[in-house]
Amino acid sequence: MFNPVRALAVCALALASLGANTALADEPILIKFSHVVADGTPKGQGALMFKQLVEERLAGKVKVEVYPNSSLYGDANELESLRNDEVQLLAPSLAKFEQYTKQLQVFDLPFLFDDIEAVNRFQKRSKGRQLLRSMEDHNIVGLAYWHNGMKQLSATRALHTPGDANGLSFRIQPSAVLEAQFGQVGANTQKLPFAEVFKALQSGQVQGAENPWSNIYSQKLHEVQPFISETNHGVLDYMLVSNSRFWYSIPHQIRVELEAIIDEVTYAVNKQAEAANQTDRQRILDSGRSQLITLSGEEREAWRNAMRPVWQQFESVIGSDVIKAAQTVNRKQRN
């Protein structure tokens, strides 16, 4: 028997449900972008530029929240948080991905790239592009490479030759390659979050570190490191990554627009990184707080030869094809 009261109630519930679903569908996609450095660094500026461009071009469709300086997640738990979709964008240094893929360890190999242009060429070639997709089995998708810069060695003593590092303890990121690199010159290592580096150097817990100029200046490491050797022995780059399931769930057209924004931001970040490193290098020299050690050709070659065995040690893990692809683009630079 037809019950008009009951029919009205059912209709009301249906309309309420439809309204709730419509409201949910109208909510903008939230992207939380967490990172561990200051806003003024190239990565920090890149995150803010991404937020600005998204809000200009995808207003009402996508909302971006940026959390700098480990204010949301730190080095220790950011990748697990990404995999759990508690944060949707990160830009960790390439050394942080060791547990998800060994191939990215190629970027930690010492003296593999002569300069940032060689790094650029490798990342744009097919092998470098393939590495962006090397962690999808772990629910991590790479979207772009962001430069920070070539690394310099800072310490409490002047480092001219490999023997000068003997017995010192260096802060490193969690990377077996970096641990082996310092082992080749008789140095010890401690794996510490980036946010703890200044205090560790200040207290003497560690006596040295490796960083690009912009990191050294932005974190005031030159104030507690009396010597910096301009080695350019390695590269500190980031990979902009997202949760795979989240990223591919974004409607196609919106995702295409986000990828175009990422390409634009990546170009700006990489250009700014090089400029920032040159500017901050001069600021450090002008401060008078740290002495610059300029290596002679013979001294640089001694460092290269001392650390070169690390390549052979990790060749089977990284893949000889990956290392050879990197060597090829670097060789072209030298020629």
Side-chain angles (χ1 to χ4, degrees):
M1 182 176 179
F2 178 73
N3 186 329
V5 175
R6 184 177 181 183
L8 286 171
V10 170
C11 287
L13 286 172
L15 288 170
S17 176
L18 178 62
N21 289 336
T22 302
L24 186 62
D26 289 342
E27 287 292 317
I29 298 167
L30 176 62
I31 296 178
K32 295 180 181 179
F33 191 157
S34 173
H35 63 81
V36 302
V37 296
D39 281 332
T41 62
K43 178 162 63 174
Q45 289 293 295
L48 293 175
M49 181 180 178
F50 176 77
K51 173 181 171 67
Q52 177 186 340
L53 293 181
V54 167
E55 292 179 352
E56 287 175 1
R57 301 174 190 177
L58 293 167
K61 297 178 182 178
V62 181
K63 178 182 178 182
V64 178
E65 297 175 355
V66 176
Y67 299 88
N69 278 322
S70 304
S71 57
L72 186 62
Y73 296 106
D75 282 326
N77 55 7
E78 62 177 2
L79 279 167
E80 192 59 30
S81 300
L82 180 86
R83 296 177 68 209
N84 292 334
D85 200 27
E86 295 164 352
V87 61
Q88 290 72 44
L89 272 187
L90 300 174
S93 64
L94 296 170
K96 304 287 179 56
F97 297 110
E98 182 177 280
Q99 62 180 311
Y100 305 111
T101 177
K102 302 299 183 185
Q103 289 186 311
L104 286 174
Q105 290 179 324
V106 67
F107 292 103
D108 286 343
L109 292 176
F111 295 100
L112 179 59
F113 300 104
D114 284 342
D115 54 35
I116 205 68
E117 287 308 314
V119 178
N120 257 332
R121 286 193 296 275
F122 174 68
Q123 291 175 347
K124 291 177 180 177
R125 301 287 175 86
S126 60
K127 188 61 68 176
R129 301 300 298 174
Q130 288 172 20
L131 295 181
L132 290 171
R133 300 291 185 264
S134 61
M135 297 177 287
E136 289 192 345
D137 288 347
H138 297 280
N139 198 26
I140 299 172
V141 58
L143 305 175
Y145 294 106
W146 284 7
H147 293 329
N148 193 354
M150 302 301 288
K151 294 187 290 188
Q152 321 304 332
L153 287 176
S154 63
T156 52
R157 71 169 74 134
L159 303 178
H160 289 278
T161 68
D164 294 331
N166 185 55
L168 295 180
S169 182
F170 286 82
R171 176 267 173 176
I172 62 168
Q173 300 178 76
S175 164
V177 174
L178 299 181
E179 191 171 1
Q181 164 191 284
F182 283 107
Q184 287 294 321
V185 296
N188 302 310
T189 57
Q190 288 192 44
K191 300 172 184 177
L192 296 171
F194 187 64
E196 298 177 13
V197 177
F198 180 87
K199 287 185 178 179
L201 291 169
Q202 185 181 47
S203 68
Q205 179 183 348
V206 292
Q207 295 84 50
E210 55 171 11
N211 283 286
W213 294 108
S214 62
N215 274 18
I216 295 171
Y217 184 77
S218 68
Q219 298 298 312
K220 301 182 179 180
L221 304 185
H222 60 293
E223 296 183 2
V224 289
Q225 293 278 262
F227 300 99
I228 303 175
S229 294
E230 193 165 26
T231 53
N232 292 312
H233 65 281
V235 60
L236 179 58
D237 265 9
Y238 308 118
M239 185 184 287
L240 184 67
V241 293
S242 184
N243 176 293
S244 298
R245 287 192 291 271
F246 165 80
W247 191 253
Y248 293 122
S249 73
I250 297 174
H252 177 72
Q253 188 54 46
I254 293 178
R255 192 167 72 247
V256 168
E257 292 183 63
L258 286 171
E259 289 169 351
I261 290 172
I262 287 171
D263 287 345
E264 187 175 338
V265 173
T266 297
Y267 176 81
V269 166
N270 291 346
K271 187 175 181 180
Q272 182 189 2
E274 183 60 24
N277 277 303
Q278 293 305 315
T279 298
D280 290 342
R281 176 185 183 275
Q282 190 59 49
R283 285 172 173 169
I284 291 168
L285 295 181
D286 292 344
S287 74
R289 301 293 295 271
S290 193
Q291 179 182 338
L292 175 65
I293 306 299
T294 301
L295 302 180
S296 67
E298 293 77 12
E299 288 172 337
R300 180 176 169 79
E301 195 61 26
W303 282 96
R304 185 193 300 275
N305 291 336
M307 292 181 171
R308 182 66 180 268
V310 176
W311 293 20
Q312 286 74 41
Q313 184 179 343
F314 288 89
E315 183 177 15
S316 62
V317 175
I318 296 171
S320 58
D321 59 327
V322 178
I323 296 175
K324 286 177 182 176
Q327 284 182 281
T328 298
V329 297
N330 202 50
R331 193 176 299 119
K332 288 183 179 180
Q333 165 71 9
R334 291 186 179 186
N335 294 340

